Structure formats: C-alpha cells, structure tokens
Amino acid sequence: MRQSPTVRGGGSRFLYEPFDVASARMEVNERIAEERWAQLERRLVQIEVGIDRLERRIWVAVYGAASLILADIAYGLLTITGS
C-alpha cells in the first residue's frame, strides 16, 4: 500500500523542529528596517546633490550681481575721469 505524498512520515510531532514565529517576525522586521534605511540614504544623497546644485546657482547669481556692481562703479569712475 502506498502513502500519499501529503502525509508526513510516522512518528511523534515533537520530532520536528518547532517554527519560531517571534524569530521570523524579528528577521522580517530587520529586513524591512534595512531596506528603509537604504532608501533613506539614497534619498538623502539625492537631496545633497540638489542642495549642491542650488548652492552653485546661488554663487553664480552672487558673483553676477557683484560683477555688475563693480562694472557700474568702474564705468562711473571712467566717466568722471574722462570728462
């Protein structure tokens, strides 16, 4: 007579290793925390890149404004000395 494949072998149910639900939950939570941390680090890198770009644009605007002011002063000096 054949046994069906769904039936476990004979013997006591205590011979099998018990399933530790608490440990499995902790492992899943740790994996989720690691993935969230990786995504947070990736997002922070993107924010830092954006801040660097913005900082460069601000410095270009500051240098542009300073050069306009200096050009206006130089033009004023040239017109005073040229008269």
Side-chain angles (χ1 to χ4, degrees):
M1 199 168 163
R2 289 178 50 190
Q3 284 185 335
S4 66
T6 58
V7 177
R8 296 190 310 192
S12 172
R13 65 185 176 115
F14 298 107
L15 293 177
Y16 298 102
E17 185 177 333
F19 180 68
D20 190 6
V21 175
S23 175
R25 285 185 183 159
M26 287 175 54
E27 288 175 10
V28 168
N29 285 334
E30 287 174 357
R31 282 187 287 177
I32 290 171
E34 287 173 3
E35 185 63 30
R36 285 181 178 170
W37 190 258
Q39 292 300 321
L40 178 64
E41 286 179 341
R42 182 186 61 81
R43 185 67 182 133
L44 285 175
V45 167
Q46 289 177 346
I47 290 171
E48 287 178 2
V49 168
I51 288 173
D52 287 341
R53 287 181 187 162
L54 180 63
E55 184 180 8
R56 275 189 239 125
R57 289 179 184 170
I58 289 173
W59 280 115
V60 166
V62 167
Y63 287 135
S67 65
L68 285 175
I69 292 170
L70 290 174
D72 190 36
I73 291 171
Y75 181 74
L77 290 174
L78 290 175
T79 55
I80 292 174
T81 57
S83 328

